[in-house]
Amino acid sequence: MSKIFISCALPYANGPCHLGHIRSTYLPADIYARYNRMIGNDVLMVCATDEHGTPIAVKADKENKKPIEISKRYHDMIVSDVESMNISLDNFTRTTDEAHYELAQNFFKSLYDKGYIYREDIQQLYCPNCNKFLPDRYVEGLCPVCGSEARGDHCEKCGKALNPTELDEPHCITCGTTPVIKDTFQYAFKLSEFEDALLEYITSNDNLPANVKNYATNWLKEGLTDWILTRDMDWGIPVPLDEAKGKVLYVWIEAFLGYISSASQWSKQSGRKWEEYWNDYVVHFIGKDIIYHHSIFWPGLLKAYGCKLPDMIYAGEFLSLEGEKMSTSKNWVIWIADFVKDYEPDLLRYYLTINAPLNKDSDFSWDDFQRRNNDELADVIGNFLHRTFVFTKKQFDSKVPEYANPTAEDEDFKSAIDALPDKAGEYIANYEFREALLEIFKVAKKGNKYFNDAEPWKAVKEDKAKAANCLYLSNQLAKTLAYMLKPFLPTKADKIAEIMNLGSLDRWEDAKADLPTGHVINKAKPLFKKIEDKEIEAQKAKLKENLTESEDETMSDLVTIDQFDEFVIKIGEVKEAEKIEKSDKLLKLQVDLGEEKPRQIVAGLAKFYSAEELIGRKVCVVANLQPAKLFGTLSEGMILATGASGALLSPDENAEVGERIQ
């Protein structure tokens, strides 16, 4: 018996789980874990929520809450989502646990003492208004490569990894101030020293799938540079050095260690050593967006520490939604909590597995989800099982009949049943989960054809032995399907087992054992139901409605007079106007509000007015908005205009510049 250490990529605790999270990481890990337990391997599957980093700190700032409150809120949601999808984790912890802090600090200190981590003098962006150095996510600006709006660490449009000091027109996301560059220091990891070792690890590891190998190899071709491991923040694990006050560990050193801290906490509870699992076989299930972290950074850290490197890194490709990229900010997404309110989790587990192999991008479509549920689960698997159980009860007193004098058709069908456990098992062992499920479906489809061709409803009257053989073999396949479906559809598999009096489905090998003649089955219950067109239309309408609502910037809710009074609206006069390059909608205006100098305001009026038409015109301006960047240009207010026609809300000609409207 082998020991297997399985980890799921740590979900970031700034939001609940959606379909993409389950598809790329947690579902394939669960299928693999369940199968290995069934064949007798000793499995430890762990995960934790990743709860540090700037996005959580930024969200906390916006909500005027403490970061731990944000991470706790989403940790609880994520746990609920994972449990609702029947993901069979052995342990699920948090990176805010005290045990994780201790482990991460000890890990850092060990690498520091070995000389693999060193202090490095660097230049970093500093906000003079907030009086602090700005971590990467606290800075936004324009990508130096493609010119699009980008964060301090990454450009979503072109995919370039960035340093905040590389951004054009940077600004602090807290106050909008343009930061300055100041000298400071951080701690760096000597990743460059491990370039040859990591190249050998990637190229010689036959376990790694092609997408991981290709991505990592291309990264290594560019050459590795040393890697900054610390940040200037209050939120995070403090760097365990006296001189490093105010600095915390970067999440991409300590989050990896969540696998180990979760496993070590499991060890304390179980009395069993997690190291035995790690030292035997390690597999990480991740999404493709964090391939280079897991194939280069993490193995580099482990190499420096002296640990065995992961044997397998399986990276699931992306899942889109109705042909479009998922977007949580636009609410173009299906949350797990919403899905399981309307449908059983096994239906989603089936669809996400059968829809496409993990090494290819795939798409979730409500219409295709309905088709696969109705045509495959209900019409093929469900129909075969229900007919088998009902006919056995009606014609054979709920007992498996005798099998005698089989025909060539009987033996051909029996061979397919007997071969299924080994075929499906081999696919799962090789991480080909879709192919395993397709093989199961193919044999179930063969079972339907065999049942139809045998016509037991006729044979029971004319040749009962023929009908008996048909129902004997059909029950054998039903039993085999219960075992085969257990890793994929655990709840439905257990229901099949309950109907068939099989007991627990713990051993894959038991799928090969024939049910004895006379074995009694229970009354059949419908296992799958069809999904009506009106349900799917309602789901698609809800998805579009959510998107519309998220894009609607109107203030439809009632506000109190006190809330309205918080807005400062003044009379302004446009002094200068010009189009913003590469934008069809935006104009950059210099507006006199009776202040020492004009305000720069970006307004979406270019489709309705030329720049020349606006010069000299009086306008109404919301004057106390937080400064923001629009298309890379700082905007210090808002011009009031109608949404549809862009018509300006113009004040009376007698209104004085700078006069407050309310």
Side-chain angles (χ1 to χ4, degrees), residues 576-589 602-603 605-607 609-612 631 633:
E576 298 177 18
E578 61 180 291
K579 286 198 69 174
I580 291 180
E581 189 178 352
K582 298 181 181 179
S583 174
D584 297 328
K585 299 179 180 179
L586 300 180
L587 293 173
K588 182 171 71 173
L589 312 177
V602 177
L605 298 172
K607 287 192 173 182
Y609 301 92
S610 67
E612 293 75 18
F631 222 79
T633 303

mmCIF file of all heavy atoms in Angstrom, residues 576-589 602-603 605-607 609-612 631 633:
data_model
loop_
_atom_site.group_PDB
_atom_site.id
_atom_site.type_symbol
_atom_site.label_atom_id
_atom_site.label_comp_id
_atom_site.label_asym_id
_atom_site.label_seq_id
_atom_site.Cartn_x
_atom_site.Cartn_y
_atom_site.Cartn_z
ATOM 1 N N GLU A 576 -10.439 74.267 -20.369
ATOM 2 C CA GLU A 576 -9.725 73.547 -21.423
ATOM 3 C C GLU A 576 -10.377 72.179 -21.608
ATOM 4 O O GLU A 576 -10.949 71.614 -20.656
ATOM 5 C CB GLU A 576 -8.245 73.356 -21.052
ATOM 6 C CG GLU A 576 -7.463 74.635 -20.869
ATOM 7 C CD GLU A 576 -6.026 74.361 -20.436
ATOM 8 O OE1 GLU A 576 -5.572 73.191 -20.623
ATOM 9 O OE2 GLU A 576 -5.381 75.272 -19.896
ATOM 10 N N ALA A 577 -10.276 71.648 -22.816
ATOM 11 C CA ALA A 577 -10.834 70.315 -23.098
ATOM 12 C C ALA A 577 -10.041 69.666 -24.217
ATOM 13 O O ALA A 577 -9.665 70.341 -25.186
ATOM 14 C CB ALA A 577 -12.311 70.422 -23.474
ATOM 15 N N GLU A 578 -9.793 68.362 -24.070
ATOM 16 C CA GLU A 578 -9.102 67.612 -25.124
ATOM 17 C C GLU A 578 -9.471 66.139 -25.039
ATOM 18 O O GLU A 578 -9.838 65.625 -23.969
ATOM 19 C CB GLU A 578 -7.591 67.777 -24.999
ATOM 20 C CG GLU A 578 -7.016 67.275 -23.690
ATOM 21 C CD GLU A 578 -5.511 67.452 -23.601
ATOM 22 O OE1 GLU A 578 -4.806 66.748 -24.357
ATOM 23 O OE2 GLU A 578 -5.064 68.283 -22.778
ATOM 24 N N LYS A 579 -9.417 65.470 -26.179
ATOM 25 C CA LYS A 579 -9.707 64.035 -26.206
ATOM 26 C C LYS A 579 -8.563 63.259 -25.572
ATOM 27 O O LYS A 579 -7.402 63.677 -25.651
ATOM 28 C CB LYS A 579 -9.918 63.545 -27.642
ATOM 29 C CG LYS A 579 -11.244 63.955 -28.256
ATOM 30 C CD LYS A 579 -11.582 63.092 -29.459
ATOM 31 C CE LYS A 579 -11.915 61.665 -29.058
ATOM 32 N NZ LYS A 579 -12.384 60.827 -30.193
ATOM 33 N N ILE A 580 -8.905 62.150 -24.960
ATOM 34 C CA ILE A 580 -7.890 61.254 -24.402
ATOM 35 C C ILE A 580 -7.509 60.242 -25.476
ATOM 36 O O ILE A 580 -8.376 59.571 -26.048
ATOM 37 C CB ILE A 580 -8.412 60.557 -23.133
ATOM 38 C CG1 ILE A 580 -8.557 61.592 -22.007
ATOM 39 C CG2 ILE A 580 -7.491 59.422 -22.710
ATOM 40 C CD1 ILE A 580 -9.075 61.028 -20.708
ATOM 41 N N GLU A 581 -6.240 60.150 -25.735
ATOM 42 C CA GLU A 581 -5.747 59.267 -26.787
ATOM 43 C C GLU A 581 -6.177 57.822 -26.541
ATOM 44 O O GLU A 581 -6.169 57.339 -25.414
ATOM 45 C CB GLU A 581 -4.217 59.354 -26.842
ATOM 46 C CG GLU A 581 -3.617 58.647 -28.048
ATOM 47 C CD GLU A 581 -2.101 58.790 -28.097
ATOM 48 O OE1 GLU A 581 -1.550 59.563 -27.281
ATOM 49 O OE2 GLU A 581 -1.497 58.127 -28.952
ATOM 50 N N LYS A 582 -6.597 57.165 -27.613
ATOM 51 C CA LYS A 582 -7.019 55.754 -27.619
ATOM 52 C C LYS A 582 -8.382 55.523 -26.966
ATOM 53 O O LYS A 582 -8.791 54.388 -26.792
ATOM 54 C CB LYS A 582 -5.979 54.855 -26.939
ATOM 55 C CG LYS A 582 -4.623 54.838 -27.622
ATOM 56 C CD LYS A 582 -3.671 53.890 -26.896
ATOM 57 C CE LYS A 582 -2.307 53.894 -27.549
ATOM 58 N NZ LYS A 582 -1.356 53.000 -26.832
ATOM 59 N N SER A 583 -9.085 56.612 -26.598
ATOM 60 C CA SER A 583 -10.420 56.457 -26.024
ATOM 61 C C SER A 583 -11.440 57.153 -26.915
ATOM 62 O O SER A 583 -11.261 58.318 -27.303
ATOM 63 C CB SER A 583 -10.479 57.043 -24.615
ATOM 64 O OG SER A 583 -11.812 57.005 -24.130
ATOM 65 N N ASP A 584 -12.550 56.450 -27.226
ATOM 66 C CA ASP A 584 -13.616 57.032 -28.040
ATOM 67 C C ASP A 584 -14.619 57.817 -27.203
ATOM 68 O O ASP A 584 -15.423 58.569 -27.747
ATOM 69 C CB ASP A 584 -14.368 55.927 -28.799
ATOM 70 C CG ASP A 584 -13.473 55.201 -29.779
ATOM 71 O OD1 ASP A 584 -12.553 55.851 -30.325
ATOM 72 O OD2 ASP A 584 -13.694 53.994 -29.995
ATOM 73 N N LYS A 585 -14.586 57.617 -25.881
ATOM 74 C CA LYS A 585 -15.627 58.181 -25.029
ATOM 75 C C LYS A 585 -15.152 59.336 -24.157
ATOM 76 O O LYS A 585 -15.960 60.188 -23.762
ATOM 77 C CB LYS A 585 -16.207 57.092 -24.116
ATOM 78 C CG LYS A 585 -16.855 55.930 -24.831
ATOM 79 C CD LYS A 585 -17.370 54.914 -23.810
ATOM 80 C CE LYS A 585 -18.022 53.729 -24.497
ATOM 81 N NZ LYS A 585 -18.502 52.724 -23.502
ATOM 82 N N LEU A 586 -13.874 59.370 -23.805
ATOM 83 C CA LEU A 586 -13.421 60.235 -22.731
ATOM 84 C C LEU A 586 -12.783 61.540 -23.209
ATOM 85 O O LEU A 586 -12.030 61.573 -24.192
ATOM 86 C CB LEU A 586 -12.415 59.486 -21.854
ATOM 87 C CG LEU A 586 -12.927 58.199 -21.182
ATOM 88 C CD1 LEU A 586 -11.821 57.572 -20.347
ATOM 89 C CD2 LEU A 586 -14.150 58.471 -20.317
ATOM 90 N N LEU A 587 -13.120 62.607 -22.467
ATOM 91 C CA LEU A 587 -12.486 63.904 -22.644
ATOM 92 C C LEU A 587 -11.801 64.295 -21.343
ATOM 93 O O LEU A 587 -12.315 64.023 -20.257
ATOM 94 C CB LEU A 587 -13.528 64.974 -23.002
ATOM 95 C CG LEU A 587 -14.233 64.849 -24.358
ATOM 96 C CD1 LEU A 587 -15.334 65.897 -24.462
ATOM 97 C CD2 LEU A 587 -13.247 64.994 -25.509
ATOM 98 N N LYS A 588 -10.646 64.956 -21.450
ATOM 99 C CA LYS A 588 -9.953 65.482 -20.276
ATOM 100 C C LYS A 588 -10.240 66.976 -20.198
ATOM 101 O O LYS A 588 -9.909 67.730 -21.116
ATOM 102 C CB LYS A 588 -8.451 65.211 -20.362
ATOM 103 C CG LYS A 588 -7.680 65.697 -19.137
ATOM 104 C CD LYS A 588 -6.234 65.218 -19.148
ATOM 105 C CE LYS A 588 -5.425 65.936 -20.213
ATOM 106 N NZ LYS A 588 -3.976 65.598 -20.126
ATOM 107 N N LEU A 589 -10.861 67.393 -19.095
ATOM 108 C CA LEU A 589 -11.300 68.777 -18.928
ATOM 109 C C LEU A 589 -10.535 69.438 -17.786
ATOM 110 O O LEU A 589 -10.220 68.791 -16.784
ATOM 111 C CB LEU A 589 -12.801 68.835 -18.624
ATOM 112 C CG LEU A 589 -13.743 68.009 -19.509
ATOM 113 C CD1 LEU A 589 -15.174 68.132 -18.996
ATOM 114 C CD2 LEU A 589 -13.645 68.458 -20.960
ATOM 115 N N VAL A 602 -12.073 63.861 -15.850
ATOM 116 C CA VAL A 602 -12.279 63.000 -17.021
ATOM 117 C C VAL A 602 -13.767 62.707 -17.138
ATOM 118 O O VAL A 602 -14.396 62.250 -16.173
ATOM 119 C CB VAL A 602 -11.480 61.692 -16.896
ATOM 120 C CG1 VAL A 602 -11.761 60.790 -18.096
ATOM 121 C CG2 VAL A 602 -9.990 61.990 -16.787
ATOM 122 N N ALA A 603 -14.345 62.989 -18.308
ATOM 123 C CA ALA A 603 -15.795 62.824 -18.496
ATOM 124 C C ALA A 603 -16.076 62.041 -19.769
ATOM 125 O O ALA A 603 -15.421 62.245 -20.799
ATOM 126 C CB ALA A 603 -16.472 64.189 -18.555
ATOM 127 N N LEU A 605 -17.917 62.170 -22.379
ATOM 128 C CA LEU A 605 -18.779 63.038 -23.184
ATOM 129 C C LEU A 605 -18.353 63.125 -24.642
ATOM 130 O O LEU A 605 -18.983 63.836 -25.432
ATOM 131 C CB LEU A 605 -18.775 64.453 -22.582
ATOM 132 C CG LEU A 605 -19.309 64.589 -21.150
ATOM 133 C CD1 LEU A 605 -19.060 66.006 -20.641
ATOM 134 C CD2 LEU A 605 -20.797 64.258 -21.100
ATOM 135 N N ALA A 606 -17.292 62.418 -25.029
ATOM 136 C CA ALA A 606 -16.721 62.594 -26.367
ATOM 137 C C ALA A 606 -17.676 62.187 -27.484
ATOM 138 O O ALA A 606 -17.556 62.684 -28.611
ATOM 139 C CB ALA A 606 -15.411 61.810 -26.480
ATOM 140 N N LYS A 607 -18.639 61.304 -27.203
ATOM 141 C CA LYS A 607 -19.590 60.885 -28.236
ATOM 142 C C LYS A 607 -20.705 61.912 -28.428
ATOM 143 O O LYS A 607 -21.471 61.832 -29.389
ATOM 144 C CB LYS A 607 -20.187 59.519 -27.877
ATOM 145 C CG LYS A 607 -19.208 58.367 -28.049
ATOM 146 C CD LYS A 607 -19.913 57.028 -27.962
ATOM 147 C CE LYS A 607 -18.958 55.893 -28.309
ATOM 148 N NZ LYS A 607 -19.630 54.568 -28.281
ATOM 149 N N TYR A 609 -20.211 65.563 -27.419
ATOM 150 C CA TYR A 609 -19.700 66.920 -27.567
ATOM 151 C C TYR A 609 -18.263 66.870 -28.081
ATOM 152 O O TYR A 609 -17.491 65.984 -27.709
ATOM 153 C CB TYR A 609 -19.690 67.674 -26.220
ATOM 154 C CG TYR A 609 -21.038 67.801 -25.558
ATOM 155 C CD1 TYR A 609 -21.462 66.840 -24.633
ATOM 156 C CD2 TYR A 609 -21.872 68.881 -25.828
ATOM 157 C CE1 TYR A 609 -22.694 66.953 -24.006
ATOM 158 C CE2 TYR A 609 -23.113 69.011 -25.197
ATOM 159 C CZ TYR A 609 -23.522 68.035 -24.294
ATOM 160 O OH TYR A 609 -24.738 68.141 -23.673
ATOM 161 N N SER A 610 -17.930 67.845 -28.910
ATOM 162 C CA SER A 610 -16.522 68.012 -29.260
ATOM 163 C C SER A 610 -15.844 68.773 -28.133
ATOM 164 O O SER A 610 -16.502 69.449 -27.331
ATOM 165 C CB SER A 610 -16.384 68.793 -30.573
ATOM 166 O OG SER A 610 -16.817 70.144 -30.400
ATOM 167 N N ALA A 611 -14.522 68.687 -28.079
ATOM 168 C CA ALA A 611 -13.789 69.402 -27.029
ATOM 169 C C ALA A 611 -14.047 70.908 -27.130
ATOM 170 O O ALA A 611 -14.227 71.600 -26.116
ATOM 171 C CB ALA A 611 -12.297 69.095 -27.148
ATOM 172 N N GLU A 612 -14.126 71.424 -28.364
ATOM 173 C CA GLU A 612 -14.305 72.866 -28.555
ATOM 174 C C GLU A 612 -15.658 73.345 -28.038
ATOM 175 O O GLU A 612 -15.787 74.462 -27.515
ATOM 176 C CB GLU A 612 -14.162 73.212 -30.040
ATOM 177 C CG GLU A 612 -12.768 73.013 -30.607
ATOM 178 C CD GLU A 612 -12.425 71.536 -30.838
ATOM 179 O OE1 GLU A 612 -13.359 70.704 -30.883
ATOM 180 O OE2 GLU A 612 -11.224 71.213 -30.942
ATOM 181 N N PHE A 631 -8.778 55.488 -17.624
ATOM 182 C CA PHE A 631 -7.938 55.320 -18.811
ATOM 183 C C PHE A 631 -6.551 55.902 -18.579
ATOM 184 O O PHE A 631 -5.937 56.518 -19.448
ATOM 185 C CB PHE A 631 -8.595 55.971 -20.032
ATOM 186 C CG PHE A 631 -8.474 55.142 -21.278
ATOM 187 C CD1 PHE A 631 -9.311 54.061 -21.492
ATOM 188 C CD2 PHE A 631 -7.504 55.429 -22.234
ATOM 189 C CE1 PHE A 631 -9.196 53.300 -22.629
ATOM 190 C CE2 PHE A 631 -7.383 54.668 -23.368
ATOM 191 C CZ PHE A 631 -8.230 53.601 -23.573
ATOM 192 N N THR A 633 -5.721 58.381 -16.647
ATOM 193 C CA THR A 633 -5.684 59.828 -16.412
ATOM 194 C C THR A 633 -6.400 60.151 -15.112
ATOM 195 O O THR A 633 -7.532 59.702 -14.889
ATOM 196 C CB THR A 633 -6.354 60.580 -17.581
ATOM 197 O OG1 THR A 633 -5.692 60.223 -18.794
ATOM 198 C CG2 THR A 633 -6.267 62.085 -17.386
#
